[in-house]
Amino acid sequence: MRVLAINDISCVGKCSLTVALPVISACGATCDILPTALLSTHTGGFEGFTFLDLSSDMEKIADHWESLGLKFDLIYSGYLGNRSQIEFVKKVKKRFLKENGTFVVDPVLGDNFKFYKGFDEQFARDMLSLCGEADYILPNETESFLLTGKRDYSEALSMLAKICPHPVITGAATDSSYHIYYWDEGECRLPIPRVEGAFHGAGDVFASAFCGCIHNGLTTEEALSLTAEFCYRSVLRTQREVPDRRYGLSYERELHILTDRFKA
Ligand code: PXL
């Protein structure tokens, strides 16, 4: 059983592939990778980071894989370095996803109601079209707004449900509560504990664990509950252990939550 993670390599800052590899592997799956870019750090809060666009190598890598006849059970797409990569990922899905395989898109666009560096409205429109090809999409509250223009989570969710069978808004805060909003033949909500502050990389930890859970055959609800527990424990540990939140979630010593669940 193989998962393909399409995402960048941020050498420092624990996000994207440096998170996808350990977390998906902890769920017992083989995690293969298609790197979109190589950065010295992620772009969220570090000045002077390097950025190498890997688009032309992605094409060559895919051509080699085709010659090997490789196919994947689940493809998970995350941070894409430019608009042409969005189109390329659609082709990767057609070429390499098994029939009845699962396509998960984390439409990485921004946080705190702002785009990450390098992304804009046009990028968001293209990302929305990629979401239209997915079985699951995992926007955070900012991304759900950037994709739909709706701040109301129910409205955003039902708009997204028109293009994708299983949209999941991964953390939706109102004055009094905090929920995961998801669509499962209708709007559903999973209450989750609220932790104050921003935690860089939490979305990638969430998306990776969710992919691992779905890959193991869990229902959407079961996958979200286990993923939420794993993320919550990791966030609490980060609060205790990591003063500089740019360095990502302290999830490593919580991986047992996944390995215990997915023991042979
Ligand atoms: O965690 C999302 C993410 C992934 N990859 C890169 C990023 C970010 C968010 O800032 O900069 C390179």
Side-chain angles (χ1 to χ4, degrees), residues 9 27 72 74 76-77 90-91 130 138 184 186 191 212 216 220 226 231 247 252:
I9 301 173
C27 297
F72 300 95
L74 186 148
Y76 153 43
S77 162
K90 292 181 187 168
K91 291 193 199 132
L130 183 63
L138 307 171
D184 202 359
N216 274 285
T220 307
L226 187 61
C231 288
Y247 288 93
E252 296 85 344

Side-chain angles (χ1 to χ4, degrees), residues 8 10 15-16 39 42-44 79 108 116 200 204:
D8 69 274
S10 288
C15 62
S16 316
L39 298 88
H42 60 69
T43 67
Y79 180 97
V108 176
Y116 292 132
H200 199 282
D204 299 352

Side-chain angles (χ1 to χ4, degrees), residues 32-182:
D32 296 316
I33 61 168
L34 183 56
T36 58
L38 175 68
L39 298 88
S40 51
T41 65
H42 60 69
T43 67
F46 295 101
E47 292 304 317
F49 53 83
T50 67
F51 184 100
L52 176 66
D53 185 311
L54 295 177
S55 301
S56 61
D57 273 79
M58 288 170 77
E59 309 251 1
K60 290 186 236 164
I61 290 167
D63 289 345
H64 181 220
W65 287 351
E66 192 150 314
S67 77
L68 299 176
L70 287 176
K71 293 275 180 192
F72 300 95
D73 302 284
L74 186 148
I75 297 182
Y76 153 43
S77 162
Y79 180 97
L80 303 178
N82 60 53
R83 285 173 50 210
S84 65
Q85 286 186 0
I86 297 179
E87 289 311 307
F88 186 68
V89 170
K90 292 181 187 168
K91 291 193 199 132
V92 168
K93 180 201 166 192
K94 285 201 185 72
R95 288 167 74 183
F96 297 106
L97 187 61
K98 278 188 189 160
E99 217 177 308
N100 299 322
T102 308
F103 185 38
V104 181
V105 173
D106 182 4
V108 176
L109 291 170
D111 215 348
N112 300 315
F113 289 92
K114 286 202 299 267
F115 281 109
Y116 292 132
K117 288 192 181 96
F119 297 160
D120 59 14
E121 300 289 345
Q122 184 57 53
F123 193 87
R125 278 193 287 278
D126 289 2
M127 192 57 100
L128 187 65
S129 81
L130 183 63
C131 290
E133 306 229 348
D135 300 295
Y136 292 90
I137 56 173
L138 307 171
N140 62 26
E141 59 185 328
T142 297
E143 289 153 352
S144 121
F145 169 68
L146 294 172
L147 290 170
T148 64
K150 305 280 183 202
R151 277 182 190 265
D152 179 90
Y153 305 121
S154 295
E155 284 182 31
L157 190 73
S158 46
M159 255 180 93
L160 293 171
K162 293 201 170 75
I163 61 157
C164 165
H166 296 289
V168 176
I169 303 175
T170 53
T174 59
D175 288 345
S176 55
S177 66
Y178 199 50
H179 286 89
I180 296 171
Y181 279 61
Y182 66 103

